[in-house]
Amino acid sequence: MVQILRVIAMATLGLTTTAMAQWSHYGKDEFRNSRGGAYGPDRAQLIWSFEAPSRTADQPFSAYFPGIYFSRSPVPPEQEAGRPVVFSIDQEDGTLRWSVPIPYEPGQGPAVVMCTARDIYVSRSTPESPAFIYRLDSETGAITWTSNIRIAFDPREGALYKDYLYVSTPDRVHHFSTHGAWDVPRTAAAGGYTGATIVPVSFLGIEALCIVDAAPGGVTLRKLNRRGGGEVYRTGVMPAGSSRYPLAFAKYNGDFVLPLSSTDPVTSRVYAIRDTGTEFVPLWSAPIGYSLGGGVATLSDGSYISIGPGNVLERLSVVDGSVMVRSATIAEYPLRPSWAVESRNVIYMSTGTGPSGRLYAFDSGLNEYFPPVSHPGIGGIAMLGSTLIVADASGIHAYRTPPMPPPPEGCPPCAPDYDQSGGQDGDDIWAFFQDWERGLPCADLDNSNGIDMHDLFRFMYIWERGSCP
């Protein structure tokens, strides 16, 4: 019977793609703006840790409840042959679900989880060393697909959109899908990550691929046809020392945000650009400080959180880029931030700065939401439902504010017997799905004040398990 619920869940993907793909990529969903849909932790209360020492601390991902997926590299890549390097653990308690090795060839890098949807994509490629891309089954970790070619690229900058996978080298954009593959030329900006600015978008009914490339005197934002890679149009030239960030897309109105961080304060700026459907229109630009890359974050009103001059956070207005509020100075420098922004606009940031790494939390006024937490070797963070997941050199750690609020009055208590008939059967699945489809409060199983795919898969987990965690 649980298979019925899985089929129902997958059938709803067309209506809930954003919720399902909430943490699909580095930079979070396909818009790479770090936004989530649930309430995050109100204090740094650790609920579990999965101990797995690693030389790198890449971002954790989630395809659907209950799995968290990530890679760990405790030894140099040449010593990893046959060792488990990609893991799946349970979101509720951090227990191991599965672990698998990834094929290694001389000269390749550590395994990196690129992105997730219903399956997990992994590669050992680096910008200098070509490698295959593998797709893993989310339930077992088994390899279900291997790319037909080896590609030298940064796996952290792969992009997944629907059933289409995009990666980029300094001189090519590659596309993989069940409908075939194509690649087209491009010229990466000097000093920038080769594929950092690949963003598949669907706006005004137009599906396209956007990427930042080098241009005489700086960089340009190019819009490519998603089906064949041909250029649709591009912006004018923006001066840039290096393009150190991915591209962000503020969902609420279709504006792009492009930060171009540089050690040169003259060229270290963030640009806001509007896609009208027929052309790119520049809106404004503002100075930003220097950092070593990482993700970007936008709040619900479209305002952009930047690393400002002087190593502070600044909230920039969506209207003109003016500074709305500014944080106190952050001690760690230079930052390599990773972000998660929850539905109340609480901002979580990892410094990504090695032994002195810390997890920060800020409110929308950029005041400390709770005191910073030390996480030596901190890397990526992600918010999965109401749980904030942090990767550091020691392992994977989960923060959530318990206890969870009780269900609304009249709702069934947390139990697989959703219809309260005294037994567990298929009627419980049907009763839950009806509440979920209608958006009724009882279906908000993760108490996030929103009903999405996390609730659906949480019920599937509870029903299959036969009890509440």
Side-chain angles (χ1 to χ4, degrees), residues 93-404:
D93 56 17
T95 54
L96 181 67
R97 299 176 71 235
W98 52 255
S99 61
V100 295
I102 298 298
Y104 172 79
E105 296 179 1
Q108 294 178 349
V112 174
V113 176
M114 300 165 52
C115 45
T116 63
R118 282 161 283 183
D119 295 298
I120 299 95
Y121 291 82
V122 180
S123 182
R124 286 186 175 275
S125 177
T126 72
E128 296 78 31
S129 303
F132 290 118
I133 300 169
Y134 301 97
R135 183 176 64 221
L136 310 185
D137 182 271
S138 60
E139 289 295 319
T140 66
I143 294 175
T144 60
W145 171 83
T146 303
S147 62
N148 61 334
I149 58 173
R150 296 177 179 85
I151 304 176
F153 72 106
D154 185 346
R156 296 167 183 81
E157 307 307 342
L160 188 67
Y161 179 70
K162 296 183 178 178
D163 293 323
Y164 305 91
L165 178 68
Y166 302 93
V167 300
S168 182
T169 68
D171 59 1
R172 311 291 296 181
V173 175
H174 296 263
H175 160 275
F176 299 93
S177 77
T178 55
H179 307 291
W182 52 255
D183 62 273
V184 294
R186 55 82 57 109
T187 305
Y193 299 133
T194 57
T197 47
I198 289 182
V199 179
V201 296
S202 179
F203 179 60
L204 298 176
I206 302 171
E207 292 186 335
L209 185 71
C210 293
I211 187 165
V212 172
D213 270 1
V219 300
T220 180
L221 172 63
R222 301 172 60 217
K223 185 171 185 176
L224 309 181
N225 183 297
R226 190 177 60 78
R227 298 191 180 277
E231 182 172 310
V232 183
Y233 42 80
R234 64 170 65 191
T235 65
V237 176
M238 293 166 278
S242 62
S243 177
R244 288 287 184 182
Y245 283 96
L247 187 67
F249 182 91
K251 291 182 186 179
Y252 88 108
N253 66 355
D255 291 350
F256 290 94
V257 179
L258 176 60
L260 302 176
S261 176
S262 173
T263 53
D264 178 4
V266 175
T267 59
S268 193
R269 302 186 69 84
V270 59
Y271 295 84
I273 302 159
R274 176 158 296 166
D275 184 1
T276 68
T278 58
E279 62 178 340
F280 285 130
V281 176
L283 299 178
W284 51 261
S285 73
I288 57 175
Y290 175 67
S291 60
L292 295 174
V296 295
T298 60
L299 303 191
S300 58
D301 65 350
S303 55
Y304 167 66
I305 304 300
S306 77
I307 306 297
N311 213 47
V312 300
L313 299 193
E314 292 182 337
R315 181 178 174 183
L316 304 185
S317 166
V318 69
V319 176
D320 58 10
S322 58
V323 177
M324 301 170 65
V325 289
R326 183 179 286 115
S327 76
T329 301
I330 298 171
E332 292 79 14
Y333 179 86
L335 295 168
R336 189 189 298 270
S338 175
W339 309 87
V341 182
E342 50 101 274
S343 59
R344 297 169 299 179
N345 286 325
V346 175
I347 305 154
Y348 305 98
M349 182 192 78
S350 78
T351 59
T353 49
S356 62
R358 295 200 290 179
L359 170 70
Y360 282 86
F362 303 91
D363 63 20
S364 58
L366 299 185
N367 306 297
E368 282 190 0
Y369 193 66
F370 56 72
V373 184
S374 176
H375 273 285
I378 196 170
I381 62 175
M383 206 179 75
L384 310 177
S386 297
T387 305
L388 182 69
I389 308 295
V390 177
D392 67 16
S394 68
I396 306 296
H397 313 279
Y399 293 93
R400 188 169 62 228
T401 304
M404 300 287 273

Side-chain angles (χ1 to χ4, degrees), residues 436-451:
W436 183 87
E437 189 175 39
R438 294 162 62 191
L440 298 182
C442 291
D444 183 19
L445 295 188
D446 64 0
N447 294 291
S448 65
N449 290 324
I451 295 172

